[in-house]
Amino acid sequence: MHEVKSKEIDPKVLDYRIALVGNPNVGKSVLFGLFTGKYVTVSNYPGTTVEVTRGMYSGSNDTIEVVDTPGSNSLISHSEDERVARDILLRDEEKRVIQIIDSKNIHRGLLITTQLAEMGLPVSIGLNMWDETLDRGMSIDSDKLQKILGVTLTKTIATQKYGIGALRNSINSVKIPKISIDYGRVIEEGIKEIETLLPENTTVRKRALAVMLLSYDEDLEETLEIDEQTLGQIHSIRDGVQKEYGHPLSYVIAKKRSDYVGKLLKGIVSYREHEEKAGAVLRNSFFLFFMPLFTFFVGYKVIDLLMFMFAGHMDTSGQVAWILRLAGGCVSVGIYSYYLFSREYGSGRKVTNILGTLTMHPVLAWPMLLVVLWCIYKIVGQFGAGDCVDFVESKIFGSSIEKSGGFDFKAFIPFTNIEYVFTHVNFQGINYYIGLFCQKFMSTDNFFFELFMGEEAGLIQVGVTYSIAIILPIVGFFFISFGLMEDSGYLPRLAVMLNRFFKIIGLNGKAVLPMVLGLGCDTMATMTTRILDTKKERVISTLLLALAVPCSAQLGVIAGILGSVSGTHLAIYFFVIFSQMLLVGYLSSKIIKGSSSDFLMEMPPFRRPKIGNILMKTYYRTKWFLREAVPLFVLGTFILFIITKLGILTYIQRAAEPVVKHFLGLPVETTQGFILGFLRRDYAVVSIFKALEKDAGSLEIDPNQLIVSLVVVTLFVPCLANFFVMIKERGSKTAFLMLAFILPFSFLVGGIVRYALQLLSI
Amino acid sequence: MADETQIEEMLEYIWILEENDGKAVSSCIGDKFGEDIANTYITEMVEKQLINLSDREIAFTKAGKKRAEMIIRRHRIAERLLNDVLEMRGEEFERGACQFEHFVNEEIVASICTLLGHPEVCPHGNKIPQGECCLSAKKNLEPVISPLSLIKAGKKVKVVYISTKSHASLDRLTGIGVIPGLELTIHQKFPSMILQYGETQLALDNDIAKNVYVRIIQS
């Protein structure tokens, strides 16, 4: 989720650097974008910036560099991102700091200011999200605070570009904040002793380093490269000081800091009694119109989905079914309205706050979650992966040999069956025209024609076409819906809802980000496992992504195929995959060494997402994705081309025959699908489906065979791109170990499912 | 005062016998402490008017009952403290509780009892005799301290102390502003616990919440 790569910049020409520092989710990345004109992914989800982003200050003629640091609650490092942020402050020379504070959480922000002051860094502070502070009836006497701190405070609303000019100007008047904390005699003596042991040429004040060392910051010991002997002395000083306190020193120090800030803020922050009420029209339409409409839909859809699972056992289009659906909707409206009117209507809270509470309500949030997932599936799996992919693949790209036949521009008139055709576009597909051009020089059975335009594994016909025609719509639509979840603040609420489940598999709620992202693309999701706190969690989530999370390309095709066969079988499929995820997660959390971290996450407020931001984000993410993925797909196709040309495929098929045919009970031709799975997960599904269709001949495909093969191909190895990323992120040893586990495991589960279905005679 | 300790042990045992069997027979005391010692001390206790002996059956006098009650209370409160807060187990736990009952005074027991929230049963499930502090707590609804994880949703509480063994989660809590003295509201407990303080909403695990000890300030 970090598109802008850091460039090496010759430090000589720089006047100075500006480091953007602040707590998570306070708007650093937005300001970075405004300062540099560069775009960084911005979201309403803490911990999105994992890597450091650097850029040139716009208008500075490349003499001022801006560094965006990961958000951290303390400059004493507890996690990788906090360490990254801190190390930037320790390392880079000639720097000025712009600290961004979420003004409604000013106390927490000033804790960092005290640490910056201790380091002796020149600071200017931006009090961001000023609008939300006002909304909450909170007022901050910034003039008084400015006098006390001795640094410039600027009120900003970064998303509306309010106060940005003033903040830019303030960079010329940065000062070290006038803060000095007395930690008490014993600690102060410890600090003095440690100061004498530290190397001479540190870029920040030694006092700050000494305080960090007393706070058990072991990463710092690495960063400072202190020799063994000195380290021993420092440790013994620390242990000596620790003896005087009942609590860990880190805690004592943090407490002193917090008390200091608390005293500082007395008389500066005040609250009005009530928060401002939202406009009556909006409020009433929310309560009386939107929520009833939405909740009716929720109830209706939940019943509809339930019936889909039992489609084989009841008439889902009969009168009874319709009455059930409508009743479901009405009951749902009743329940939600009861909650809203008894608890919220009179409370005067803002609509977004009410939604924020409702989306993590112990009971009412679950049906909403179900419907949100269903909507995402509709948009990504059906519209994106189905309709759009079909259209782009067959009409825009087409085939190199056959004409695509063109397409119509048409519009449906709602609620009727009439469609109005504007015009017919006589476009036969990009590949057809390239093919036509090539045929001027060579025949279609020429080696090079097959290499590039071949139907089997041509680099352009298959490689490029597939990566663009299939990925572009799916990934695009997925990023749009993901962006909506992210920016509204729904994603962290999902973490709250699913924390208990993730606990079972050795992760915690924080893992919701990579896991949900995995439903879009496992390759990308594997990269974001970095946001997890411990190595163990990163390994488990990487394994589960590779094993059990189907990406949207695959999910779309699978749901399409199985859904048309029967809802019961789709339910069985999901049950099997889900239980494997639980099982493997549970076991690996027991086997893999290391510690899991506890779930502790700040809930950002629910916000109305900005469409511009989401589209922008989607554009950059998709662009980044294509750049990473297209070469891999072309490479994969090339490997496939060689395999088919040399006839290796037949050998593999023959070798796999005992397993595929006798253990799984599938036709041998499906082997090709499994091998293709390594290249493209969804392509594998299609290829298997075709093989089964061919095998069945005029008969209908056996749904049990279908389930078995789909279970295997879902659990089966991740695609090539994902595997490369696994190697890059986790190291080749871990990646190959995972592969060695996943391969036999997927076939084993497939076999078990086959016999289980036979036993249960489903 | 080795004698006093022995007397206390015996009173304690008599209490337990009465609690379990409904009556205490002097031969049981003999079995536990040895015939000679039992006889000596039973005579002494009768002299001190702590117990009455009639036909080998032992009954507390009013003073004796009161004294035994205090000892039992100290012992069981100690058990709660060692078990719940200090998390001692096994031999260490048994020995600790036995030593404890002989040297703490009533005042200390009262504050421990308050700290623990006036527990009613010991870890073994036996009833803890109530002290004055428990009775006044019932009348005055005196604030009690208990882990955050045990408090119902909707209550407003104040953090009293945080006792976590892992540095990392302690540091993260303090980093995000959860320190003693902080007043917060428990927004909800399921599917995850959500705390609200100031303008911050914080989601956290039960594993962390049970290490944060709070006092209810408003229900």
Side-chain angles (χ1 to χ4, degrees):
Chain A
M1 318 202 66
H2 20 73
E3 290 79 32
V4 186
K5 298 239 170 74
S6 44
K7 262 189 257 162
E8 279 307 313
I9 293 154
D10 189 3
K12 277 172 217 155
V13 296
L14 285 183
D15 279 354
Y16 55 84
R17 287 194 169 89
I18 301 172
L20 291 172
V21 180
N23 304 80
N25 214 23
V26 295
K28 291 178 295 299
S29 296
V30 180
L31 281 164
F32 178 82
L34 291 174
F35 282 169
T36 59
K38 257 185 177 180
Y39 177 80
V40 198
T41 314
V42 174
S43 67
N44 188 13
Y45 191 94
T48 331
T49 310
V50 191
E51 265 179 8
V52 181
T53 324
R54 290 167 190 269
M56 281 301 166
Y57 194 62
S58 58
S60 75
N61 220 356
D62 281 5
T63 54
I64 304 171
E65 190 189 35
V66 186
V67 188
D68 185 19
T69 65
S72 46
N73 280 317
S74 164
L75 297 176
I76 294 165
S77 85
H78 311 121
S79 67
E80 205 166 318
D81 28 346
E82 282 175 347
R83 180 179 179 174
V84 170
R86 200 263 320 276
D87 284 359
I88 289 169
L89 294 176
L90 291 189
R91 221 175 278 140
D92 293 349
E93 281 175 36
E94 279 302 312
K95 61 188 158 289
R96 299 175 184 190
V97 176
I98 293 189
Q99 194 202 343
I100 320 296
I101 292 180
D102 170 2
S103 26
K104 62 185 186 296
N105 282 314
I106 189 167
H107 184 279
R108 199 148 17 107
L110 287 178
L111 288 181
I112 295 186
T113 317
T114 62
Q115 283 171 294
L116 292 171
E118 234 161 42
M119 288 175 148
L121 295 172
V123 177
S124 160
I125 295 176
L127 291 174
N128 199 17
M129 306 193 193
W130 192 254
D131 48 342
E132 292 189 342
T133 311
L134 294 178
D135 277 348
R136 282 169 171 72
M138 183 179 170
S139 77
I140 301 170
D141 189 345
S142 60
D143 292 338
K144 197 166 157 194
L145 187 61
Q146 183 162 314
K147 255 179 224 143
I148 298 176
L149 291 177
V151 296
T152 323
L153 295 180
T154 317
K155 297 171 192 168
T156 60
I157 307 168
T159 48
Q160 296 170 22
K161 300 188 183 161
Y162 169 85
I164 302 306
L167 189 63
R168 284 184 81 136
N169 287 335
S170 74
I171 196 69
N172 296 318
S173 57
V174 285
K175 286 197 186 68
I176 302 171
K178 284 189 280 184
I179 290 175
S180 66
I181 302 174
D182 182 6
Y183 292 105
R185 190 183 55 84
V186 184
I187 293 182
E188 288 295 335
E189 275 169 15
I191 292 173
K192 283 212 186 77
E193 279 178 65
I194 292 180
E195 277 178 5
T196 59
L197 295 171
L198 291 173
E200 275 308 313
N201 50 353
T202 52
T203 46
V204 300
R205 284 185 189 163
K206 283 184 190 172
R207 179 179 166 84
L209 298 177
V211 173
M212 288 175 192
L213 289 170
L214 279 177
S215 303
Y216 298 93
D217 187 337
E218 267 143 23
D219 293 335
L220 180 66
E221 294 170 359
E222 254 174 57
T223 311
L224 289 179
E225 292 165 5
I226 306 171
D227 61 90
E228 286 281 312
Q229 198 195 346
T230 325
L231 206 56
Q233 284 174 298
I234 291 174
H235 283 182
S236 74
I237 294 170
R238 185 179 68 194
D239 296 342
V241 177
Q242 176 66 76
K243 270 192 202 123
E244 305 287 322
Y245 293 91
H247 292 292
L249 280 179
S250 52
Y251 175 77
V252 177
I253 289 170
K255 175 94 172 75
K256 290 263 182 203
R257 255 194 207 123
S258 179
D259 290 347
Y260 182 89
V261 172
K263 236 180 266 166
L264 198 76
L265 284 178
K266 277 226 171 90
I268 285 177
V269 176
S270 57
Y271 290 90
R272 268 193 314 265
E273 276 298 299
H274 296 288
E275 47 185 303
E276 270 171 51
K277 284 202 181 189
V281 177
L282 175 76
R283 226 183 130 69
N284 282 315
S285 59
F286 170 78
F287 278 106
L288 300 173
F289 181 69
F290 288 114
M291 278 318 276
L293 198 69
F294 174 67
T295 53
F296 180 83
F297 178 66
V298 168
Y300 180 92
K301 202 62 225 171
V302 168
I303 299 287
D304 192 45
L305 288 173
L306 273 176
M307 283 203 290
F308 176 64
M309 303 224 167
F310 301 106
H313 309 284
M314 69 174 289
D315 179 15
T316 49
S317 55
Q319 251 179 355
V320 181
W322 280 106
I323 291 171
L324 273 178
R325 285 191 185 107
L326 293 178
C330 293
V331 169
S332 158
V333 173
I335 295 172
Y336 280 96
S337 301
Y338 174 74
Y339 171 80
L340 286 172
F341 283 97
S342 65
R343 297 282 294 274
E344 301 287 3
Y345 188 66
S347 72
R349 295 208 308 155
K350 280 188 74 167
V351 166
T352 45
N353 288 351
I354 296 171
L355 276 176
T357 307
L358 197 60
T359 43
M360 49 185 187
H361 186 275
V363 181
L364 300 179
W366 296 102
M368 288 169 78
L369 169 64
L370 200 65
V371 171
V372 167
L373 289 179
W374 177 83
C375 287
I376 292 177
Y377 164 68
K378 271 282 168 198
I379 296 173
V380 182
Q382 238 168 37
F383 184 67
D387 303 345
C388 292
V389 167
D390 264 1
F391 177 76
V392 177
E393 193 193 349
S394 63
K395 300 294 178 189
I396 302 285
F397 280 92
S399 140
S400 58
I401 297 166
E402 278 174 67
K403 287 185 178 183
S404 73
F407 52 90
D408 293 335
F409 253 125
K410 57 192 173 187
F412 289 98
I413 300 167
F415 306 112
T416 61
N417 284 329
I418 307 164
E419 54 178 56
Y420 180 77
V421 180
F422 293 104
T423 173
H424 179 81
V425 182
N426 198 17
F427 182 72
Q428 306 299 343
I430 297 173
N431 288 338
Y432 178 74
Y433 293 118
I434 299 178
L436 218 57
F437 179 72
C438 292
Q439 281 174 39
K440 286 197 191 309
F441 309 100
M442 56 186 103
S443 69
T444 49
D445 47 12
N446 182 297
F447 174 81
F448 285 101
F449 189 84
E450 280 190 8
L451 175 61
F452 288 101
M453 302 307 300
E455 290 281 336
E456 291 275 312
L459 293 187
I460 295 175
Q461 171 69 55
V462 178
V464 175
T465 306
Y466 267 70
S467 52
I468 295 175
I470 293 184
I471 294 231
L472 196 66
I474 296 175
V475 164
F477 280 108
F478 179 77
F479 283 152
I480 289 179
S481 26
F482 187 78
L484 275 170
M485 291 198 348
E486 195 179 34
D487 280 18
S488 60
Y490 190 67
L491 208 52
R493 280 164 178 79
L494 214 54
V496 166
M497 311 255 303
L498 299 179
N499 180 41
R500 274 172 209 245
F501 163 71
F502 280 119
K503 277 287 198 185
I504 302 173
I505 56 177
L507 302 170
N508 70 46
K510 240 183 156 179
V512 86
L513 179 78
M515 288 299 165
V516 171
L517 210 50
L519 291 175
C521 167
D522 287 312
T523 310
M524 177 170 213
T526 306
M527 287 186 180
T528 54
T529 54
R530 268 182 237 177
I531 65 158
L532 301 177
D533 289 329
T534 67
K535 193 176 164 230
K536 179 181 176 178
E537 289 168 327
R538 282 176 231 146
V539 171
I540 293 179
S541 53
T542 307
L543 174 65
L544 291 180
L545 282 170
L547 180 76
V549 180
C551 63
S552 59
Q554 199 180 19
L555 200 62
V557 184
I558 288 175
I561 293 174
L562 269 178
S564 63
V565 176
S566 106
T568 321
H569 282 92
L570 185 63
I572 295 175
Y573 165 81
F574 277 118
F575 172 76
V576 171
I577 297 298
F578 189 71
S579 61
Q580 289 322 302
M581 185 169 171
L582 250 156
L583 178 74
V584 173
Y586 178 75
L587 290 180
S588 53
S589 75
K590 296 279 173 236
I591 294 167
I592 296 171
K593 285 193 196 102
S595 59
S596 297
S597 62
D598 288 325
F599 179 56
L600 186 72
M601 188 184 199
E602 209 199 325
M603 289 292 107
F606 214 77
R607 296 185 177 124
R608 194 163 50 82
K610 290 200 165 53
I611 301 301
N613 186 22
I614 290 173
L615 291 180
M616 188 79 160
K617 204 152 50 171
T618 307
Y619 168 70
Y620 277 96
R621 280 177 177 163
T622 316
K623 196 170 107 182
W624 164 83
F625 188 84
L626 284 178
R627 206 169 48 213
E628 302 273 309
V630 174
L632 285 177
F633 287 132
V634 174
L635 177 68
T637 322
F638 185 62
I639 295 171
L640 193 72
F641 178 76
I642 293 172
I643 290 176
T644 31
K645 270 283 148 196
L646 297 180
I648 298 173
L649 206 59
T650 344
Y651 290 111
I652 300 178
Q653 255 173 19
R654 208 170 297 160
E657 193 175 331
V659 179
V660 174
K661 190 162 187 181
H662 302 298
F663 184 55
L664 296 179
L666 300 172
V668 195
E669 290 77 44
T670 49
T671 314
Q672 193 189 356
F674 294 129
I675 298 166
L676 281 179
F678 201 56
L679 170 69
R680 299 241 346 118
R681 279 178 147 192
D682 62 304
Y683 191 33
V685 177
V686 175
S687 143
I688 286 169
F689 185 67
K690 294 220 167 106
L692 287 173
E693 230 171 17
K694 210 160 116 194
D695 189 57
S698 57
L699 302 166
E700 275 190 32
I701 300 175
D702 177 11
N704 287 0
Q705 272 193 344
L706 203 55
I707 289 199
V708 172
S709 53
L710 292 186
V711 163
V712 174
V713 90
T714 307
L715 296 179
F716 201 60
V717 276
C719 69
L720 202 61
N722 189 358
F723 188 64
F724 284 147
V725 173
M726 279 163 73
I727 294 178
K728 190 179 147 218
E729 294 285 313
R730 297 285 92 82
S732 51
K733 195 181 144 207
T734 318
F736 277 103
L737 269 176
M738 286 182 185
L739 197 63
F741 163 73
I742 291 172
L743 277 173
F745 184 78
S746 55
F747 282 101
L748 182 71
V749 175
I752 294 172
V753 170
R754 177 197 174 195
Y755 289 110
L757 288 174
Q758 269 174 11
L759 270 179
L760 298 170
S761 58
I762 292 171
Chain B
M1 296 289 280
D3 290 358
E4 284 301 313
T5 311
Q6 190 68 41
I7 289 177
E8 286 186 347
E9 287 286 338
M10 247 174 229
L11 286 171
E12 189 182 349
Y13 190 62
I14 296 169
W15 176 283
I16 293 169
L17 284 175
E18 274 196 356
E19 196 173 58
N20 292 343
D21 310 335
K23 60 177 182 179
V25 188
S26 61
S27 61
C28 295
I29 313 271
D31 293 345
K32 166 108 178 167
F33 296 93
E35 284 299 327
D36 293 347
I37 302 176
N39 288 336
T40 329
Y41 282 99
I42 287 177
T43 328
E44 198 178 330
M45 286 194 287
V46 173
E47 271 169 29
K48 285 191 171 176
Q49 295 189 332
L50 292 171
I51 51 169
N52 289 323
L53 194 62
S54 64
D55 194 23
R56 307 192 60 79
E57 199 170 296
I58 298 172
F60 282 121
T61 61
K62 214 173 175 187
K65 180 150 186 145
K66 199 170 174 201
R67 179 117 182 241
E69 194 180 78
M70 265 161 58
I71 299 159
I72 290 286
R73 176 170 151 77
R74 271 184 240 161
H75 184 89
R76 291 184 180 164
I77 289 277
E79 283 182 340
R80 275 251 86 102
L81 178 73
L82 299 182
N83 184 63
D84 298 359
V85 181
L86 307 179
E87 293 184 2
M88 284 186 184
R89 297 286 181 270
E91 176 122 343
E92 207 182 17
F93 163 70
E94 292 296 340
R95 196 155 19 98
C98 286
Q99 288 167 350
F100 200 89
E101 71 193 36
H102 299 299
F103 59 75
V104 285
N105 62 33
E106 204 46 33
E107 208 176 317
I108 297 178
V109 171
S111 18
I112 297 172
C113 183
T114 310
L115 177 77
L116 297 174
H118 308 288
E120 289 182 352
V121 289
C122 77
H124 305 98
N126 294 321
K127 198 168 184 304
I128 301 176
Q130 289 192 324
E132 272 175 32
C133 67
C134 310
L135 298 173
S136 70
K138 274 196 181 147
K139 270 184 238 152
N140 306 335
L141 279 174
E142 202 177 302
V144 293
I145 293 164
S146 67
L148 193 53
S149 52
L150 295 182
I151 293 178
K152 289 204 183 86
K155 304 252 189 220
K156 194 169 180 196
V157 297
K158 189 172 192 169
V159 179
V160 180
Y161 63 92
I162 300 171
S163 93
T164 154
K165 287 187 205 96
S166 105
H167 266 266
S169 38
L170 182 64
D171 289 343
R172 277 163 67 205
L173 273 176
T174 46
I176 214 157
V178 180
I179 49 163
L182 177 77
E183 289 179 12
L184 50 89
T185 315
I186 301 175
H187 188 273
Q188 66 182 68
K189 289 192 71 177
F190 189 83
S192 295
M193 180 179 267
I194 309 258
L195 306 177
Q196 168 107 39
Y197 55 94
E199 290 309 320
T200 306
Q201 276 194 333
L202 188 68
L204 74 168
D205 262 342
N206 247 2
D207 290 342
I208 301 182
K210 70 182 179 209
N211 289 311
V212 178
Y213 288 80
V214 295
R215 183 200 311 271
I216 296 177
I217 48 179
Q218 190 193 323
S219 39

